[in-house]
Amino acid sequence: MAVSSSSSGGIKGFLENRILQGQPLTSELVAILVVYFVQGILGLARLAVSFFLKDDLGLTPAEVAALTGIAALPWTIKPLFGFISDGLPIGGYRRRPYLVLSGLLGAAAWLALATVVQSGWAAILAITLSSLSVAIGDVIVDSLVVERARGESQGEAGTLQSLAWGASAVGGLMTAYLGGVLLEQVSTRAVFAITATFPLIVSCVAWIIQEDPVEESPTWSVIQGQMGQLWQAIRQRAIWMPALFLFLWQATPTADAAFFFFTTNDLGFQPEFLGRVRLVTSVAALLGIWVFQRFLRTVPFRTIFAWSTVLSSLLGMSMLLLVTHANRSLGIDDQWFSLGDSLVLTVMGEIAFMPVLVLSARLCPPGVEATLFALLMSIVNLAGLLSHELGALLTHWLEVTETNFDHLWQLVLITNLTTLLPLPLLALLPATSSQGEGSEDAQILWQSADPPPHNPDQETASV
């Protein structure tokens, strides 16, 4: 028994020190990481959705871009889910029942795509419901992550966020290539049916969450107190100024939908190769997280955003070589060019986004963790929706269709140049790093994260 116990302790110690970066291995942490992991696994159906909208339903690039933006709507109202979770417990619990329901909703949505959906609007409705499922689950685990993050020392800042997003990236890594391979073996609807089983995992692990039941029913004074705390936090310059920059930074138009049509209809990329591209981007996401965690936690936010934005814009211009076929004149194969471009741009994107998570989490006061963090993230998601809709408008105006890509180079040029527009507003960000190191702005940042005075009518969220 002594040997077995020692072996068990050794494995646990290895996991805590090497894999979990010093975080204690608890059932709750396992449940949190599993939920993020499932979010990554759902990427199995990403390619299937794109091909389903393009081939099965016959939508145009502009229609796909516009409808994809609509499907992101649940992520723009995450604060509503936060209020519901914080103030309206189900059966006396604030977290577990919502995780269970989110899993069941996701399974139903994917099952509908696998069976009854026959039109573009029905498809987007089902995809939006699946997005709603993930958004609700994300609000719940985000609140748990934020609560834990508040207990981290400044030297450990960002560790839990890195683990959470790392778990999601690992899930995406495991299904990235498989999604493309499956599409060459089975139909898109079969992929949707397989995907429908994954949200049920969230419903199962929800019962692992350690949560004390709410003893008293929520009252208007409690909800009013939460709204007061939220408004008090939003009014602080240390919160709304970075939020404004993040919105402008993410709201520039994207050419993703048009580029997907180009790679499949013009370049002839098959699902298996696109799965390889997704595999590369999943590895690149993990690499970006590691680079941030290892080298950039002490680098000021402004510096990270400035360099990552400029470099991403410059590197994004390399897509012009692909859409004009100039890469072939240089002797570079289309597929190899796409793989290298995807890898570099994904690394830069992850490096730029990790500070967003750390900054948002450190600003959340107790009692409204789910709501405020969801509000900050929904601002980014709303900007993403606007990005897709602006991209759809540009795609339509430039007359880029499923067969005509003559003006795609202009779309790529415009979308890359517009990413530079928020740079003059970098002063909106605090002159501090993820670890709170920097000028006097750092003191403002950390002071804004201090708990507010105790209010006997304010019931702290149980997380």
Side-chain angles (χ1 to χ4, degrees):
M1 289 296 293
V3 174
S4 176
S5 178
S6 175
S7 174
S8 176
I11 294 174
K12 182 180 180 182
F14 173 80
L15 290 175
E16 291 180 343
N17 295 326
R18 298 300 180 89
I19 306 299
L20 300 179
Q21 303 179 43
Q23 293 286 327
L25 179 60
T26 63
S27 59
E28 185 174 77
L29 178 60
V30 170
I32 291 172
L33 296 183
V34 166
V35 174
Y36 281 105
F37 178 72
V38 169
Q39 290 181 11
I41 284 182
L42 291 176
L44 177 72
R46 186 173 302 171
L47 280 177
V49 168
S50 297
F51 278 100
F52 181 70
L53 297 177
K54 180 177 81 76
D55 296 334
D56 295 29
L57 301 183
L59 302 182
T60 67
E63 290 172 336
V64 170
L67 293 178
T68 302
I70 293 173
L73 275 173
W75 292 89
T76 68
I77 55 172
K78 285 179 66 177
L80 175 62
F81 309 143
F83 269 124
I84 294 174
S85 172
D86 285 337
L88 298 175
I90 298 177
Y93 293 94
R94 289 192 175 101
R95 308 304 183 210
R96 290 189 302 206
Y98 286 103
L99 277 180
V100 173
L101 291 177
S102 72
L104 295 176
L105 176 62
W110 287 111
L111 190 59
L113 279 168
T115 54
V116 299
V117 169
Q118 301 292 340
S119 67
W121 284 108
I124 292 305
L125 175 61
I127 295 170
T128 302
L129 289 178
S130 71
S131 180
L132 174 64
S133 162
V134 180
I136 293 174
D138 194 61
V139 167
I140 302 302
V141 292
D142 278 349
S143 67
L144 298 174
V145 168
V146 168
E147 177 68 14
R148 282 172 167 263
R150 289 187 58 82
E152 293 180 335
S153 65
Q154 290 188 15
E156 296 175 336
T159 298
L160 196 52
Q161 281 82 10
S162 296
L163 287 175
W165 280 74
S168 179
V170 169
L173 179 66
M174 292 181 61
T175 56
Y177 182 66
L178 182 59
V181 173
L182 272 178
L183 275 180
E184 295 199 348
Q185 304 297 325
V186 300
S187 68
T188 54
R189 292 188 185 273
V191 175
F192 296 151
I194 295 171
T195 306
T197 63
F198 298 142
L200 298 178
I201 299 175
V202 174
S203 298
C204 293
V205 300
W207 302 106
I208 302 177
I209 300 293
Q210 299 298 317
E211 181 180 9
D212 296 325
V214 178
E215 296 181 358
E216 298 180 1
S217 300
T219 63
W220 171 246
S221 62
V222 172
I223 298 176
Q224 190 175 29
Q226 289 181 325
M227 295 178 64
Q229 269 195 329
L230 184 62
W231 175 244
Q232 222 175 19
I234 295 172
R235 291 174 57 190
Q236 297 182 57
R237 289 168 58 89
I239 294 180
W240 72 259
M241 288 176 64
L244 176 60
F245 176 85
L246 294 177
F247 177 83
L248 297 173
W249 179 59
Q250 288 283 289
T252 55
T254 177
D256 287 351
F259 195 72
F260 172 76
F261 275 76
F262 172 74
T263 57
T264 54
N265 291 357
D266 188 272
L267 300 183
F269 289 175
Q270 298 301 309
E272 186 274 338
F273 174 73
L274 293 176
R276 266 188 276 167
V277 173
R278 288 207 59 240
L279 177 62
V280 168
T281 56
S282 296
V283 173
L286 287 174
L287 179 60
I289 293 171
W290 177 81
V291 169
F292 171 81
Q293 186 74 8
R294 179 68 176 83
F295 301 107
L296 301 177
R297 285 194 297 168
T298 59
V299 177
F301 291 118
R302 295 177 185 175
T303 302
I304 293 179
F305 279 109
W307 282 106
S308 61
T309 299
V310 171
L311 289 176
S312 294
S313 179
L314 291 175
L315 293 170
M317 293 295 182
S318 63
M319 292 171 60
L320 291 172
L321 298 177
L322 193 62
V323 300
T324 59
H325 301 299
N327 61 294
R328 298 175 181 175
S329 301
L330 299 174
I332 306 175
D333 180 74
D334 291 340
Q335 294 189 352
W336 280 108
F337 191 92
S338 296
L339 285 172
D341 199 50
S342 299
L343 189 151
V344 175
L345 289 175
T346 303
V347 170
M348 295 304 303
E350 289 294 331
I351 290 174
F353 198 68
M354 282 305 300
V356 177
L357 302 177
V358 177
L359 174 61
S360 299
R362 300 293 293 201
L363 295 176
C364 297
V368 286
E369 295 96 344
T371 308
L372 181 54
F373 189 81
L375 175 62
L376 296 173
M377 290 296 97
S378 70
I379 290 173
V380 176
N381 295 321
L382 178 61
L385 185 155
L386 182 59
S387 173
H388 278 93
E389 299 308 320
L390 290 176
L393 284 175
L394 283 174
T395 301
H396 177 71
W397 288 339
L398 293 173
E399 299 181 343
V400 176
T401 68
E402 58 269 33
T403 56
N404 183 7
F405 304 104
D406 293 342
H407 300 289
L408 180 58
W409 70 270
Q410 293 172 291
L411 179 62
V412 170
L413 183 64
I414 293 172
T415 54
N416 275 282
L417 288 178
T418 53
T419 61
L420 301 174
L421 293 178
L423 287 182
L425 303 176
L426 278 171
L428 294 174
L429 295 174
T432 182
S433 71
S434 299
Q435 292 188 353
E437 300 172 359
S439 67
E440 292 182 357
D441 288 346
Q443 296 300 319
I444 298 175
L445 176 62
W446 299 121
Q447 286 171 9
S448 70
D450 288 340
H454 175 66
N455 181 353
D457 293 330
Q458 174 65 50
E459 186 176 340
T460 302
S462 174
V463 294

PDB file of all heavy atoms in Angstrom, residues 15-26:
ATOM      1  N   LEU A  15       1.699  15.932 -12.125  1.00  0.00           N
ATOM      2  CA  LEU A  15       0.637  16.651 -12.832  1.00  0.00           C
ATOM      3  C   LEU A  15       0.520  18.083 -12.337  1.00  0.00           C
ATOM      4  O   LEU A  15       0.369  19.018 -13.126  1.00  0.00           O
ATOM      5  CB  LEU A  15      -0.694  15.920 -12.647  1.00  0.00           C
ATOM      6  CG  LEU A  15      -0.845  14.568 -13.348  1.00  0.00           C
ATOM      7  CD1 LEU A  15      -2.162  13.909 -12.967  1.00  0.00           C
ATOM      8  CD2 LEU A  15      -0.766  14.742 -14.869  1.00  0.00           C
ATOM      9  N   GLU A  16       0.595  18.263 -11.007  1.00  0.00           N
ATOM     10  CA  GLU A  16       0.438  19.604 -10.436  1.00  0.00           C
ATOM     11  C   GLU A  16       1.612  20.515 -10.797  1.00  0.00           C
ATOM     12  O   GLU A  16       1.417  21.690 -11.115  1.00  0.00           O
ATOM     13  CB  GLU A  16       0.279  19.519  -8.917  1.00  0.00           C
ATOM     14  CG  GLU A  16      -1.038  18.899  -8.475  1.00  0.00           C
ATOM     15  CD  GLU A  16      -1.177  18.821  -6.968  1.00  0.00           C
ATOM     16  OE1 GLU A  16      -0.142  18.934  -6.272  1.00  0.00           O
ATOM     17  OE2 GLU A  16      -2.305  18.651  -6.476  1.00  0.00           O
ATOM     18  N   ASN A  17       2.814  19.976 -10.746  1.00  0.00           N
ATOM     19  CA  ASN A  17       4.001  20.811 -10.952  1.00  0.00           C
ATOM     20  C   ASN A  17       4.338  21.027 -12.420  1.00  0.00           C
ATOM     21  O   ASN A  17       4.744  22.124 -12.815  1.00  0.00           O
ATOM     22  CB  ASN A  17       5.207  20.194 -10.233  1.00  0.00           C
ATOM     23  CG  ASN A  17       5.035  20.183  -8.730  1.00  0.00           C
ATOM     24  OD1 ASN A  17       4.437  21.081  -8.162  1.00  0.00           O
ATOM     25  ND2 ASN A  17       5.554  19.138  -8.080  1.00  0.00           N
ATOM     26  N   ARG A  18       4.163  19.999 -13.233  1.00  0.00           N
ATOM     27  CA  ARG A  18       4.593  20.082 -14.623  1.00  0.00           C
ATOM     28  C   ARG A  18       3.457  20.397 -15.592  1.00  0.00           C
ATOM     29  O   ARG A  18       3.654  21.162 -16.544  1.00  0.00           O
ATOM     30  CB  ARG A  18       5.267  18.760 -15.035  1.00  0.00           C
ATOM     31  CG  ARG A  18       6.519  18.438 -14.235  1.00  0.00           C
ATOM     32  CD  ARG A  18       7.568  19.539 -14.396  1.00  0.00           C
ATOM     33  NE  ARG A  18       8.762  19.252 -13.635  1.00  0.00           N
ATOM     34  CZ  ARG A  18       9.804  18.562 -14.101  1.00  0.00           C
ATOM     35  NH1 ARG A  18       9.760  18.095 -15.342  1.00  0.00           N
ATOM     36  NH2 ARG A  18      10.856  18.345 -13.342  1.00  0.00           N
ATOM     37  N   ILE A  19       2.299  19.807 -15.360  1.00  0.00           N
ATOM     38  CA  ILE A  19       1.191  19.993 -16.295  1.00  0.00           C
ATOM     39  C   ILE A  19       0.291  21.163 -15.874  1.00  0.00           C
ATOM     40  O   ILE A  19      -0.076  22.001 -16.700  1.00  0.00           O
ATOM     41  CB  ILE A  19       0.334  18.711 -16.410  1.00  0.00           C
ATOM     42  CG1 ILE A  19       1.228  17.511 -16.780  1.00  0.00           C
ATOM     43  CG2 ILE A  19      -0.777  18.909 -17.436  1.00  0.00           C
ATOM     44  CD1 ILE A  19       1.938  17.672 -18.107  1.00  0.00           C
ATOM     45  N   LEU A  20      -0.040  21.225 -14.580  1.00  0.00           N
ATOM     46  CA  LEU A  20      -0.970  22.239 -14.084  1.00  0.00           C
ATOM     47  C   LEU A  20      -0.264  23.488 -13.582  1.00  0.00           C
ATOM     48  O   LEU A  20      -0.919  24.377 -13.016  1.00  0.00           O
ATOM     49  CB  LEU A  20      -1.836  21.647 -12.965  1.00  0.00           C
ATOM     50  CG  LEU A  20      -2.687  20.434 -13.359  1.00  0.00           C
ATOM     51  CD1 LEU A  20      -3.481  19.925 -12.165  1.00  0.00           C
ATOM     52  CD2 LEU A  20      -3.621  20.791 -14.513  1.00  0.00           C
ATOM     53  N   GLN A  21       1.051  23.586 -13.761  1.00  0.00           N
ATOM     54  CA  GLN A  21       1.825  24.781 -13.436  1.00  0.00           C
ATOM     55  C   GLN A  21       1.622  25.241 -11.993  1.00  0.00           C
ATOM     56  O   GLN A  21       1.482  26.434 -11.711  1.00  0.00           O
ATOM     57  CB  GLN A  21       1.460  25.917 -14.398  1.00  0.00           C
ATOM     58  CG  GLN A  21       1.672  25.572 -15.857  1.00  0.00           C
ATOM     59  CD  GLN A  21       1.281  26.709 -16.788  1.00  0.00           C
ATOM     60  OE1 GLN A  21       1.577  27.858 -16.538  1.00  0.00           O
ATOM     61  NE2 GLN A  21       0.615  26.367 -17.876  1.00  0.00           N
ATOM     62  N   GLY A  22       1.583  24.270 -11.054  1.00  0.00           N
ATOM     63  CA  GLY A  22       1.482  24.600  -9.641  1.00  0.00           C
ATOM     64  C   GLY A  22       0.066  24.631  -9.095  1.00  0.00           C
ATOM     65  O   GLY A  22      -0.118  24.760  -7.878  1.00  0.00           O
ATOM     66  N   GLN A  23      -0.944  24.514  -9.945  1.00  0.00           N
ATOM     67  CA  GLN A  23      -2.327  24.507  -9.477  1.00  0.00           C
ATOM     68  C   GLN A  23      -2.640  23.164  -8.819  1.00  0.00           C
ATOM     69  O   GLN A  23      -2.269  22.110  -9.344  1.00  0.00           O
ATOM     70  CB  GLN A  23      -3.284  24.734 -10.647  1.00  0.00           C
ATOM     71  CG  GLN A  23      -3.191  26.106 -11.276  1.00  0.00           C
ATOM     72  CD  GLN A  23      -3.803  27.177 -10.410  1.00  0.00           C
ATOM     73  OE1 GLN A  23      -4.769  26.943  -9.697  1.00  0.00           O
ATOM     74  NE2 GLN A  23      -3.227  28.370 -10.457  1.00  0.00           N
ATOM     75  N   PRO A  24      -3.324  23.157  -7.656  1.00  0.00           N
ATOM     76  CA  PRO A  24      -3.675  21.889  -6.999  1.00  0.00           C
ATOM     77  C   PRO A  24      -4.671  21.099  -7.832  1.00  0.00           C
ATOM     78  O   PRO A  24      -5.611  21.669  -8.411  1.00  0.00           O
ATOM     79  CB  PRO A  24      -4.292  22.336  -5.665  1.00  0.00           C
ATOM     80  CG  PRO A  24      -4.748  23.744  -5.900  1.00  0.00           C
ATOM     81  CD  PRO A  24      -3.778  24.332  -6.881  1.00  0.00           C
ATOM     82  N   LEU A  25      -4.466  19.787  -7.913  1.00  0.00           N
ATOM     83  CA  LEU A  25      -5.345  18.913  -8.688  1.00  0.00           C
ATOM     84  C   LEU A  25      -6.585  18.597  -7.859  1.00  0.00           C
ATOM     85  O   LEU A  25      -6.541  17.804  -6.922  1.00  0.00           O
ATOM     86  CB  LEU A  25      -4.607  17.628  -9.065  1.00  0.00           C
ATOM     87  CG  LEU A  25      -5.402  16.597  -9.873  1.00  0.00           C
ATOM     88  CD1 LEU A  25      -5.862  17.184 -11.197  1.00  0.00           C
ATOM     89  CD2 LEU A  25      -4.565  15.337 -10.099  1.00  0.00           C
ATOM     90  N   THR A  26      -7.698  19.228  -8.178  1.00  0.00           N
ATOM     91  CA  THR A  26      -8.964  19.003  -7.492  1.00  0.00           C
ATOM     92  C   THR A  26     -10.023  18.577  -8.497  1.00  0.00           C
ATOM     93  O   THR A  26      -9.871  18.769  -9.704  1.00  0.00           O
ATOM     94  CB  THR A  26      -9.440  20.287  -6.779  1.00  0.00           C
ATOM     95  OG1 THR A  26      -9.687  21.302  -7.768  1.00  0.00           O
ATOM     96  CG2 THR A  26      -8.385  20.800  -5.797  1.00  0.00           C
TER      97      THR A  26
END
